Amino acid sequence: MTNTTHAITTNERADLLEALAKQRHFLRFTTRDLTDEQAGQRTTVSELCLGGLIKHVTSVERNWVRFIQEGPSSMGDFTAMTEDDWARRADEFRMLPGETLAGVLAAYAETAERTDELVAGLPDLDAAHPLPKAPWFEAGAQWSARRVLLHIVAETAQHAGHADIVREALDGAKSMG
């Protein structure tokens, strides 16, 4: 019986990591052959740029991994954020002076590696923590490590779609099609 449970867990982890790897690939692929300037360029009415999207996804993944490891205190109380806190968070969505696409992609790769190592070594995907205080979370809700990983996959996929639109508006290149 133990071997069956282990096989299911191993397959589930492999499936989660494979789904996440695929979405990471699509997101990174939108930056192929771009200069730093192009990676920071807004191409739609949105504030989004390709480098900023990757910075944001990196930050989101890093924060949720800390949540799995440390619980809600690692993310802070979103209801207590100041204007300066929100401004710093907005900087995640743009390439700042001195930032390079290579640096942004390297930080993303490092974060992805740490996430993958964590998933492979987690003793229990059912381990859960209460969500941090935020107006967008249901009060009193808890997320398991599994639910957090599904959220990271969904967030990455959503932003890969945004990145595809930004890239197509930049020079007509598409991730698919």
Side-chain angles (χ1 to χ4, degrees):
M1 180 76 75
T2 304
N3 288 341
T4 304
T5 303
H6 179 68
I8 291 170
T9 303
T10 301
N11 291 338
E12 180 181 20
R13 289 168 199 263
D15 288 348
L16 287 166
L17 290 173
E18 183 180 336
L20 186 52
K22 184 176 186 175
Q23 298 312 315
R24 287 175 179 148
H25 165 76
F26 283 129
L27 179 59
R28 285 190 308 265
F29 189 66
T30 63
T31 66
R32 68 199 177 281
D33 304 322
L34 293 182
T35 65
D36 294 338
E37 182 181 344
Q38 289 171 312
Q41 187 176 338
R42 290 177 47 206
T43 62
T44 68
V45 296
S46 162
E47 293 287 327
L48 301 176
C49 69
L50 294 170
L53 281 166
I54 292 173
K55 281 177 55 180
H56 171 68
V57 171
T58 301
S59 176
V60 165
E61 187 169 323
R62 191 179 303 130
N63 288 336
W64 280 113
V65 165
R66 275 200 319 265
F67 172 82
I68 290 171
Q69 295 172 310
E70 302 168 21
S73 63
S74 68
M75 294 178 88
D77 180 351
F78 292 101
T79 62
M81 286 180 65
T82 66
E83 276 188 48
D84 286 342
D85 295 328
W86 287 111
R88 276 191 298 281
R89 189 172 165 107
D91 283 345
E92 288 178 3
F93 288 96
R94 41 184 163 263
M95 296 278 289
L96 300 176
E99 291 181 329
T100 65
L101 179 57
V104 167
L105 288 169
Y108 188 40
E110 181 182 312
T111 295
E113 184 177 333
R114 280 186 294 195
T115 300
D116 293 352
E117 288 171 1
L118 172 73
V119 172
L122 276 176
D124 184 5
L125 292 176
D126 290 324
H129 296 292
L131 290 174
K133 290 183 181 179
W136 50 86
F137 291 136
E138 178 184 338
Q142 291 193 26
W143 279 9
S144 66
R146 176 184 297 101
R147 176 64 184 91
V148 170
L149 293 167
L150 289 169
H151 177 73
I152 293 170
V153 171
E155 178 100 6
T156 305
Q158 179 180 17
H159 290 310
H162 294 146
D164 199 36
I165 292 168
V166 170
R167 177 62 191 258
E168 187 174 358
L170 178 68
D171 64 4
K174 299 177 186 176
S175 296
M176 300 175 97

